[in-house]
Amino acid sequence: MSGEVNKCPQDGGFIGDSGCTHPNHEHSALVKGLLEKARLREPGMIDAHDAEQALREGFYVNTATAGIRVGFGKRLLEHTNSHREGKAMARKELLLYAVKTVRGGKRRPNPKGGPNSFGYAMRFEKFGMLVCTDKEGQVEEAFTFFYDEKKARGRRK
C-alpha cells in the first residue's frame, strides 16, 4: 500500500518534490500558461502568488541541448521562502526566467550539488540568471546577477 501513496491518480507517474514525473502529465491551466510564457524571448515577471501556486503543483521542463528533465517544485519554493518576505516575492516573480534558463541556458557541472548536478546560466536584457540543480535534477536554487553595478543598485530589495 505504501508504494501507491506517491502515484499520480491521473497517469500513474511518481509524485515527488516537483509533482508528477510522467512526461505527459496534464498540468493545470495556470502551469500550462506559465510554461508557454516562458518560451518568449524575454518572458517577463509574473505574479508571485501564481509562481508559488505553480511551484506547489510542481512541473518539469526539458533542457534544449542535453535532453534532461529538470524539476521545479517544493525545493525551489523552500529556497525562495527562506529569504525575507519582500525578497522572496521578488524572486518568485522571476520564475519564468528560471524556466527559460533551464530550457536554453549554458549547462555546466555544479560542484556544490555533487555528481550529476548542474548549473544553467543565461543572460537576459537587464540581468543574468543561474539555476542550480541537485543530482536528481530538482532545482535547488535560482539566482539573478547583474553585469553592471549601476543596474544592480536599481533592483528591488
Side-chain angles (χ1 to χ4, degrees), residues 92-110:
K92 290 172 188 174
E93 292 171 347
L94 296 171
L95 177 63
L96 299 185
Y97 287 98
V99 171
K100 182 152 185 97
T101 298
V102 166
R103 281 183 172 157
K106 292 181 181 176
R107 177 179 177 255
R108 298 285 186 267
N110 174 17

Side-chain angles (χ1 to χ4, degrees), residues 14-27:
F14 173 74
I15 298 176
D17 285 345
S18 296
C20 179
T21 59
H22 195 283
N24 296 324
H25 182 79
E26 190 70 24
H27 289 289

Side-chain angles (χ1 to χ4, degrees), residues 45 87 90-91 94 97 122-130 143-157:
M45 295 172 52
K87 192 162 190 127
R91 287 175 177 241
L94 296 171
Y97 287 98
M122 183 175 258
R123 185 177 188 147
F124 296 97
E125 186 178 322
K126 296 182 180 180
F127 60 91
M129 175 75 64
L130 174 65
F143 304 95
T144 53
F145 54 91
F146 295 85
Y147 302 100
D148 181 337
E149 184 57 34
K150 291 176 190 168
K151 290 181 182 176
R153 279 191 229 128
R155 68 183 179 198
R156 291 176 32 184
K157 305 252 186 240

Side-chain angles (χ1 to χ4, degrees), residues 18-20 27 31 35 51 54-55 57-61 70-73 95 99:
S18 296
C20 179
H27 289 289
V31 169
L35 291 175
L55 291 172
E57 179 178 334
F59 57 91
Y60 286 82
V61 298
V70 174
F72 286 79
L95 177 63
V99 171

